[in-house]
Amino acid sequence: MGKTTGFLEIERLEEHYEEPKARVKHWKEFVLRLSDADAAKQGARCMDCGIPFCNNGCPVNNIIPDFNDLVYRQDWKNALTVLHSTNNFPEFTGRICPAPCEAACTLNIEDKPVGIKSIEHAIIDKGWEEGWVLPQPPKSKTGKKVAVVGSGPAGLAAAQQLARVGHDVTVFEKNDRIGGLLRYGIPDFKMEKQLIDRRVVQMQAEGVTFKTGVFVGKAPLPAGINNYATKHVPPEDLLAQFDAVILAGGAEYPRDLPVPGRELKGIHFAMEFLAPQNKVNAGDKMPERIMATGKQVVVIGGGDTGSDCVGTSNRHGAKAITQLEVMPQPPEKENKLLSWPYWPLKLRTSSSHEEGVDREFAITTKRFEDDGKGHVKALVTARVEFKDGKMVEVPGSEQTIPADLVLFAMGFVSPAQPVLDAFGVQKDNRGNAQAGTEADTGYRTNLPKVFAAGDMRRGQSLVVWAIREGRQVAREVDLFLMGESALPR
């Protein structure tokens, strides 16, 4: 590394956030990226540790020590080349990835990992500003046609890789804009959607065709799944017109909570709440959207989607927000000897939590109460604890929490089953497309030319895993079509 003693001399520097009182008044990103000089100092902290655990901690295997060193030397253009060699969309991961690479950093043993995510953020934003991110059209065409169903990070990564080696790629998206859950599942204050739009322009210049508002599968879709399709295409058409088909839809089927009172008005899945707000931010008219303004909001689910509901409710001007999690509160600090270099279980406080929320752990919802007019007015809850490996209710712990709006953010069970059923794809016991990742299975389903990748194959996961699988399935499809491939595995 360029400065072998950097980790001894320079402290970790976090990216700065706009103050909560200011940022809840708008929908723009509020994370301020590092200056070139600060990024260089953070790159200097990479300690030449000998075994770069960060590489293995990163699902796309970013070559992290190399781009850290290049940023330290202020060789930004080569840093961008190294970053793009493993990651098609670092502007997405540099904003919304939880950074398992930092958890795996050797310096994280003392809670001061290299700010890898902030360096990645700085590299890609500078690359766009300097005009270094350009289309990479193929030198020649293969004459092969590939359909990609789903335009989330897995579908986009697969499409871009395949287009760059000369295949004619068409991406089908059921919603009215490209991006999948990046578009309608991630609030704009975490990732502005012009980041997706400029990648779409780049990919179109590389030869990718995008078709929005097209649902490929068997209607109707279950409640809770966004669907702005105006056209239906049966799978048979794709199988007849294309040499290969990649199923890359997200794990969108939400987990429900079938307790008494579930039918009351004012109880919604998270995506019914989040997606319309993103559409409004994009300029659409959504008169029927769900608003949290002036309401007692209860979010059930303690993960990222729940946090997004909290941030959105704060921007609506909710009266009060409570977030419930059935699992016990994790420790504030992990046991490094047990967890490092793996992703640790510990209490995490998001930027949305900092904006205002009352968090409750080890609590379950028993029923919803009616206001007498068919609308929810409260939740009846109880404390829970683990005994003999089972979760049991704590006697006498019932309490009532007022609620005008209840949002389910308890995770996603599986991809949309009507898509898999329409194709006739075999599923695993969790309802995901059954397709192995080993060299002999290569993301193939039980159908001869149908592949599956991303959340549709692995279940609910991170954007960085989706990009990895999109890149890998692209290689397998290229190998299937051409008998060989220069794409990375």
Side-chain angles (χ1 to χ4, degrees), residues 122-396:
I123 293 170
I124 186 59
D125 279 16
K126 188 174 184 67
W128 280 104
E129 290 168 4
E130 296 293 335
W132 296 334
V133 184
L134 299 171
Q136 299 178 35
K139 295 179 181 178
S140 61
K141 303 290 283 186
T142 65
K144 301 291 186 180
K145 298 169 65 178
V146 181
V148 178
V149 179
S151 69
L156 292 178
Q160 185 167 65
Q161 293 290 94
L162 288 166
R164 287 177 173 179
V165 293
H167 303 304
D168 291 316
V169 182
T170 302
V171 177
F172 295 87
E173 169 59 52
K174 71 181 186 309
N175 292 322
D176 53 351
R177 294 179 177 90
I178 293 299
L181 288 176
L182 287 173
R183 173 75 65 176
Y184 289 137
I186 304 292
D188 288 0
F189 57 80
K190 287 176 67 175
M191 195 187 88
E192 293 179 21
K193 302 309 178 275
Q194 56 90 12
L195 301 174
I196 304 171
D197 297 335
R198 67 186 181 187
R199 280 294 183 182
V200 169
V201 172
Q202 180 199 34
M203 292 172 66
Q204 287 172 327
E206 293 171 344
V208 178
T209 299
F210 292 97
K211 294 188 177 183
T212 57
V214 179
F215 174 59
V216 180
K218 185 188 300 180
L221 283 169
I225 297 182
N226 299 326
N227 183 18
Y228 302 111
T230 57
K231 184 180 180 182
H232 173 251
V233 173
E236 295 78 17
D237 288 5
L238 265 61
L239 295 172
Q241 297 169 17
F242 292 89
D243 299 297
V245 176
I246 299 174
L247 302 181
E252 296 181 87
Y253 191 59
R255 182 172 283 107
D256 207 341
L257 185 59
V259 298
R262 170 64 180 90
E263 74 286 351
L264 295 174
K265 295 178 182 177
I267 302 173
H268 304 275
F269 292 114
M271 289 305 155
E272 295 175 312
F273 177 64
L274 296 174
Q277 182 60 57
N278 283 10
K279 287 180 68 65
V280 169
N281 294 347
D284 294 353
K285 302 292 184 182
M286 300 292 291
E288 301 298 322
R289 70 187 169 115
I290 303 159
M291 295 296 294
T293 311
K295 294 180 180 177
Q296 298 263 10
V297 180
V298 175
V299 179
I300 302 179
D304 289 340
T305 303
S307 174
D308 294 343
C309 290
V310 170
T312 300
S313 296
N314 275 317
R315 282 159 180 76
H316 281 182
K319 180 180 179 181
I321 308 169
T322 304
Q323 186 177 18
L324 308 181
E325 169 58 55
V326 71
M327 299 300 291
Q329 181 172 325
E332 292 191 7
K333 180 176 171 58
E334 72 272 31
N335 185 332
K336 298 289 185 182
L337 295 178
L338 293 177
S339 64
W340 183 86
Y342 301 106
W343 184 251
L345 176 66
K346 67 176 182 178
L347 182 65
R348 302 179 191 277
T349 300
S350 73
S351 59
S352 291
H353 294 143
E354 293 169 352
E355 295 163 4
V357 65
D358 180 20
R359 302 170 75 184
E360 298 275 357
F361 293 88
I363 190 168
T364 187
T365 301
K366 298 185 70 174
R367 64 182 181 274
F368 300 104
E369 292 195 338
D370 193 335
D371 68 351
K373 299 177 182 178
H375 198 283
V376 65
K377 73 170 184 179
L379 293 77
V380 176
T381 66
R383 296 290 171 181
V384 292
E385 61 183 0
F386 279 98
K387 282 188 176 180
D388 299 323
K390 295 181 180 180
M391 186 176 291
V392 296
E393 183 179 327
V394 177

Side-chain angles (χ1 to χ4, degrees), residues 39-184:
K41 289 179 181 178
Q42 293 307 295
R45 297 186 67 243
C46 193
M47 63 183 296
D48 195 15
C49 58
I51 300 176
F53 294 100
C54 55
N55 287 36
N56 290 333
C58 172
V60 292
N61 301 123
N62 278 337
I63 311 171
I64 294 165
D66 296 55
F67 68 63
N68 283 343
D69 184 50
L70 289 165
V71 168
Y72 164 66
R73 299 174 186 278
Q74 296 288 277
D75 188 352
W76 290 92
K77 197 167 186 179
N78 277 323
L80 179 66
T81 300
V82 171
L83 181 55
H84 265 149
S85 70
T86 57
N87 187 350
N88 294 68
F89 312 117
E91 64 269 44
F92 304 164
T93 54
R95 286 168 166 81
I96 62 174
C97 178
C101 54
E102 293 190 19
C105 176
T106 301
L107 286 176
N108 190 42
I109 293 174
E110 57 176 32
D111 285 323
K112 296 179 180 179
V114 175
I116 299 165
K117 182 177 176 179
S118 63
I119 293 171
E120 180 177 336
H121 184 184
I123 293 170
I124 186 59
D125 279 16
K126 188 174 184 67
W128 280 104
E129 290 168 4
E130 296 293 335
W132 296 334
V133 184
L134 299 171
Q136 299 178 35
K139 295 179 181 178
S140 61
K141 303 290 283 186
T142 65
K144 301 291 186 180
K145 298 169 65 178
V146 181
V148 178
V149 179
S151 69
L156 292 178
Q160 185 167 65
Q161 293 290 94
L162 288 166
R164 287 177 173 179
V165 293
H167 303 304
D168 291 316
V169 182
T170 302
V171 177
F172 295 87
E173 169 59 52
K174 71 181 186 309
N175 292 322
D176 53 351
R177 294 179 177 90
I178 293 299
L181 288 176
L182 287 173
R183 173 75 65 176
Y184 289 137

